[in-house]
Amino acid sequence: MKTGTLYIVPTPIGNLNDITLRALEVLRSVDVIAAEDTRHSSVLLNHFGIESKLWAVHEHNERQKAEAIVQRIQEGQSIALISDAGTPLISDPGYPLVNACRGAGVPVVALPGACAAITALSASGLPTDRFLFCGFLSPKQQARLSALQRLQDETATMVFYEAPRRILDTLAAVQEAFGPERQVVIGREITKQFETYLSGSVAEVLAMVTADSNQQRGEMVLMIAGAPAHDHSIPAEALQLLTLLNNELPPKKAAKIVASHYNLRANDLYKHTL
Ligand code: SAM
């Protein structure tokens, strides 16, 4: 018997036009749509005239449901997993199900689509070459501060989801953990009518959000710039010598002398003379 497929289908995070043609095609064709909240998702599905059968698969029952879904797929049915908004599994249910499917050798196909973290990051103006998605911080004050303090030396851009009622407390904790100068960006109500991006030092953004209660409403993604990278590959004495020689010699020559003395790459040292 031919097995079916589990499809992971992202849905819009605000603007209904962000559903993809392929998402609609898959949602129309599957035997069952497993949804985090069937009432919430039926509004979206009705909007697109999709009448597939809905199953509730949320964080409280997903472990039990996983087995039944794997069995159905093995029997040849195809199932689409959706969450209330955005990409399933990204701070949303689905991990036990996908893990069970992979374990059972059942095909899993993920469709690309809306995700608040990626959308916010791409518009943030912060470095995107390396980033760390951290999901939601703890609602408990001390646990939240400790989690942030553990990230003090992280050099990648950090991306968090945050609830509006906690944003002021969280910004205060970010200020305590990273200092008032660290750059942050808040992407709010992305793809919706009141979409805004606030950016600046933590102290500046905290002042802006405090002064404008509208900025304490809606859905938000908080991004924190990474710490500046320290180049541990060049010994401190080599850098000192480089600085001294660089005052007397052309930069290329200074870099070459220090490189041969410490057995380092002249190019790496040359970058430090610029
Ligand atoms: N799976 C979703 C995704 O792919 O983005 C995220 C689900 S998580 C339960 C919900 C959180 O995502 C919100 O609390 C907020 O932090 C963020 N979020 C979702 N939609 C957003 C939007 N339109 N603008 C800003 N943040 C959003």
Side-chain angles (χ1 to χ4, degrees), residues 100 106 139 142 170-171 173 207 219 240 259 261 266:
V106 157
Q142 193 48 49
T170 295
L171 285 171
E219 297 193 282
Q240 270 165 12
H261 191 71

Side-chain angles (χ1 to χ4, degrees), residues 26-33 45 49-54:
V26 167
L27 292 174
R28 281 198 181 104
S29 70
V30 289
D31 299 288
V32 174
I33 298 175
L45 297 173
I50 296 169
E51 286 171 358
S52 312
K53 200 168 147 198
L54 273 172

Side-chain angles (χ1 to χ4, degrees), residues 13 85 87 90-92 115-116 136 161-162 190 219-221:
I13 56 169
T87 302
I90 306 303
S91 290
D92 265 342
C115 175
F136 285 97
Y161 286 156
E162 191 48 286
I190 296 166
E219 297 193 282
M220 42 189 79
V221 180

